[in-house]
Amino acid sequence: MTDTSHDETARDAAESAESAELSKALRVGFVIGTPVTFAVFFVMIYVVGDVELVPALITALWVAIVGGGFYGGVTGLLTVLNKHGH
């Protein structure tokens, strides 16, 4: 095995491990981000905004579906990238 192929193999293994870690962080971020976003926006709309229950639930659910995965995904992405020094 040459040095070049050994270096490429090591780099591929490191990238594979980082990719697996990133995938896990994105899944966990999505699973945690969606309900947290729902809870935060529901409280903001229902309690602070003084909106009725059904419209507050519908709006918070919509925001959680659209934004929860984004917020959780970005958090997971930044966590992994900061850990690996990117």
Side-chain angles (χ1 to χ4, degrees):
M1 211 171 178
T2 64
D3 289 334
T4 304
S5 64
H6 179 67
D7 291 341
E8 289 176 6
T9 303
R11 186 174 45 236
D12 287 344
E15 288 177 2
S16 176
E18 185 176 347
S19 177
E21 187 177 353
L22 180 60
S23 175
K24 180 181 177 187
L26 290 173
R27 280 192 311 268
V28 169
F30 184 80
V31 167
I32 293 173
T34 302
V36 168
T37 302
F38 174 78
V40 167
F41 275 87
F42 177 73
V43 168
M44 284 178 21
I45 295 167
Y46 186 66
V47 176
V48 178
D50 197 28
V51 176
E52 293 181 14
L53 180 64
V54 173
L57 283 172
I58 292 170
T59 305
L61 182 63
W62 182 83
V63 172
I65 291 170
V66 173
F70 174 76
Y71 301 135
V74 167
T75 302
L77 175 70
L78 292 176
T79 301
V80 171
L81 291 180
N82 285 334
K83 182 178 177 184
H84 289 280
H86 290 283

